[in-house]
């Protein structure tokens, strides 16, 4: 391997480490939030706000962050986000009320969107068009490795030492990642002047993808948010009240499937049609989501145990829920690298476009659904039951892929599903 190839590889590895750090913190909070709900005695609506505050802050931050990433050095913006992230996770140790948690979650949302958006843009720029989905799949694999590590760290540490040590682990990780970016990532010399969002907003392919993505955001936000809540929240509120390590295993099943499959499925979508993989993955996600509320019945039907030695109470739904969440991960491994590569393709198509802006549009389209869905899910949880969160999520995913197929064929021809 030449010196140039080694340096190129080191840059990708540094960017994958950023993805790891960003997801590690996010995933640790996914595991801890059900126990914040119980400890702070948060209402159903306030539970929704824990997620909506996170998403609302991201909505506000997307455009300025994407513009700054295309206009200036992405490396400097990444370093700034990592520094702020270390401070934010230290602040989590001071949470004593639901309102404080909402506010600090909002700050976490800004950090997570900055790291995700700019890292994906950097990876998209460094990769060639023929390898783009594969490189993005590897970046996502690092994110899912972090999701597994973050989930287990929180699930194992919390029962023994409480919340605070988990967040100090995160502070150390962010400082280490900051140092790695300083030494291994070269400054970004690509400069996009003007405001590339305006041109990308009229891009036909991006408009077609956005029709799907706007609906699909509701599905993924509801399902991904409520699977750990369904597993961990007290039974009196519609959950299964599993012990923390069991919730961790449920969440990990989806991440592990993504980790193992995204690079390979990304390469296949590079070869056989990215739109096809978006369609297949999105539709299958909806079908699996509809089955999640039936996991207690499935556990009873198969006579599965409600406790596991050395783990504790898991309910008979544990094994079916682990399996279904793994299937959700498989469906996302089909869709996600293909979708990201399509947006990167459009962002790098001419000198006036920007990859960061393209991912910014992708993020913006996602935000309305992900902003409103947690509040709606919280209302469903408190009024008609947690099962309806998964029913609505499944229907939203299926509606999204059917609309996507209809517009794709109508506006781009029957062959577009395999040509994109």
């Amino acid at each position: 391997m030449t010196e140039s190839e080694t340096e190129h590889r080191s840059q990708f590895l540094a960017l994958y480490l950023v993805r790891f750090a960003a997801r590690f913190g996010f995933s640790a909070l996914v595991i801890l939030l059900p126990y914040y709900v119980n400890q702070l005695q948060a209402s159903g609506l306030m539970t929704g706000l824990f997620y909506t505050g996170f998403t609302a802050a991201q909505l506000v931050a997307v455009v300025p962050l994407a513009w700054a990433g295309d206009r200036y050095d992405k490396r400097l913006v990444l370093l700034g986000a990592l520094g702020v992230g270390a401070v934010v996770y230290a602040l989590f140790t001071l949470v004593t009320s639901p309102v404080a948690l909402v506010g600090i979650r909002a700050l976490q949302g800004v950090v997570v969107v900055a790291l995700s958006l700019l890292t994906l843009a950097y990876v998209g720029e460094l990769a060639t068009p023929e390898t783009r989905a594969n490189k993005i799949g590897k970046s996502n694999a690092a994110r899912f490795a972090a999701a597994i590590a973050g989930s287990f760290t929180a699930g194992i540490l919390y029962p023994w030492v409480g919340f605070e040590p988990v967040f100090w682990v995160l502070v150390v990780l962010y400082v280490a990642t900051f140092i790695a970016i300083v030494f291994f990532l070269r400054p970004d010399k690509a400069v996009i002047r003007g405001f590339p969002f305006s041109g990308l907003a009229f891009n036909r392919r991006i408009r077609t993808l956005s029709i799907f993505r706007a609906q699909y955001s509701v599905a993924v936000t509801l399902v991904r948010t409520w699977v750990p809540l369904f597993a961990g929240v007290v039974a009196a509120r519609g959950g299964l009240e599993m012990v923390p390590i069991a919730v961790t295993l449920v969440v990990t099943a989806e991440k592990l499937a993504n980790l193992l499959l995204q690079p390979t499925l990304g390469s296949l979508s590079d070869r056989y049609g990215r739109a096809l993989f978006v369609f297949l993955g999105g539709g299958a996600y909806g079908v699996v989501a509809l089955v999640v509320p039936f996991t207690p019945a499935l556990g009873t039907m198969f006579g599965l145990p409600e406790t596991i030695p050395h783990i504790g109470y898991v309910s008979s739904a544990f094994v079916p829920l682990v399996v279904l969440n793994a299937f959700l991960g498989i469906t996302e491994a089909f869709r996600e690298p293909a979708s990201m590569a399509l947006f990167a393709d459009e962002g790098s198509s001419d000198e006036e476009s920007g990859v960061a802006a393209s991912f910014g549009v992708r993020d913006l389209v996602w935000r309305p659904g992900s902003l409103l869905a947690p509040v709606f899910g919280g209302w469903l949880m408190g009024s008609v039951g947690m099962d309806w969160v998964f029913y609505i999520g499944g229907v939203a995913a299926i509606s999204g892929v059917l609309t996507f197929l209809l517009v794709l064929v109508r506006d781009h021809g029957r062959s577009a599903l395999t040509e994109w």
Side-chain angles (χ1 to χ4, degrees), residues 96-412:
T96 57
S97 70
V99 174
L101 182 58
V102 171
I104 299 174
R105 278 278 287 172
L107 293 175
Q108 184 201 22
V110 175
V111 171
V112 170
V113 76
L115 297 180
S116 176
L117 179 67
L118 295 167
T119 306
L120 284 171
Y122 232 132
V123 171
E125 286 181 358
L126 290 174
T128 63
E130 295 76 21
T131 63
R132 188 162 282 145
N134 173 258
K135 294 294 187 185
I136 289 173
K138 289 180 179 178
S139 173
N140 290 339
R143 176 172 60 121
F144 291 116
I148 294 170
S151 298
F152 271 101
T153 298
I156 293 171
L157 286 181
Y158 169 71
W160 291 94
V161 294
F163 290 110
E164 291 188 12
V166 178
F167 295 112
W168 292 122
V169 169
L170 289 167
V171 171
V172 171
L173 175 61
Y174 268 64
V175 171
T177 305
F178 184 98
I179 294 170
I181 293 300
V182 169
F183 283 101
F184 295 108
L185 189 62
R186 295 179 61 186
D188 172 36
K189 296 180 179 180
V191 175
I192 306 296
R193 301 189 184 277
F195 192 66
F197 278 92
S198 56
L200 290 168
F202 295 99
N203 181 294
R204 291 182 67 213
R205 287 194 176 192
I206 285 182
R207 288 205 311 268
T208 301
L209 285 165
S210 297
I211 289 170
F212 159 73
R213 191 164 172 78
Q215 298 178 70
Y216 195 71
S217 65
V218 175
V220 171
T221 302
L222 287 175
V223 175
R224 190 174 288 165
T225 299
W226 259 268
V227 163
L229 289 174
F230 182 57
V233 167
V234 294
R237 303 187 62 186
L240 301 174
E241 206 172 353
M242 296 180 186
V243 295
I245 189 61
V247 179
T248 298
L249 292 171
V250 169
V251 173
T252 299
E254 182 203 5
K255 312 308 178 189
L256 184 60
N258 261 306
L259 167 65
L260 296 175
L261 296 176
Q262 279 222 14
T264 300
L265 290 173
S267 292
L268 291 175
S269 73
D270 282 331
R271 295 169 57 189
Y272 296 112
R274 294 168 184 163
L276 175 63
F277 278 63
V278 171
F279 175 78
L280 292 175
Y285 191 94
V287 173
V288 175
L290 291 172
V291 184
V292 169
F294 297 98
T295 50
L298 290 172
T300 300
M301 182 174 68
F302 289 108
L304 299 175
E306 294 193 343
T307 59
I308 296 177
H310 309 297
I311 291 180
Y313 177 79
V314 296
S315 97
S316 61
F318 173 67
V319 172
L321 192 58
V322 168
V323 171
L324 285 180
N325 216 34
F327 275 117
L328 289 172
I330 294 170
T331 64
E332 283 290 83
F334 270 86
R335 178 197 65 86
E336 197 166 36
S339 170
M340 290 177 173
L342 283 169
F343 277 91
D345 290 342
E346 301 310 304
S348 58
S349 60
D350 58 63
E351 294 182 355
E352 295 183 358
S353 300
V355 180
S358 180
F359 278 111
V361 172
R362 180 177 183 272
D363 204 279
L364 282 174
V365 172
W366 188 268
R367 291 302 156 196
S370 63
L371 181 65
L372 298 174
V375 177
F376 183 48
W379 176 81
L380 288 171
M381 175 180 167
S383 59
V384 294
M386 203 180 291
D387 291 357
W388 278 92
V389 175
F390 299 102
Y391 299 148
I392 298 298
V395 169
I398 293 169
S399 171
V401 295
L402 292 178
T403 308
F404 173 63
L405 180 63
L406 177 64
V407 175
L408 189 70
V409 171
R410 186 193 67 190
D411 293 352
H412 304 274

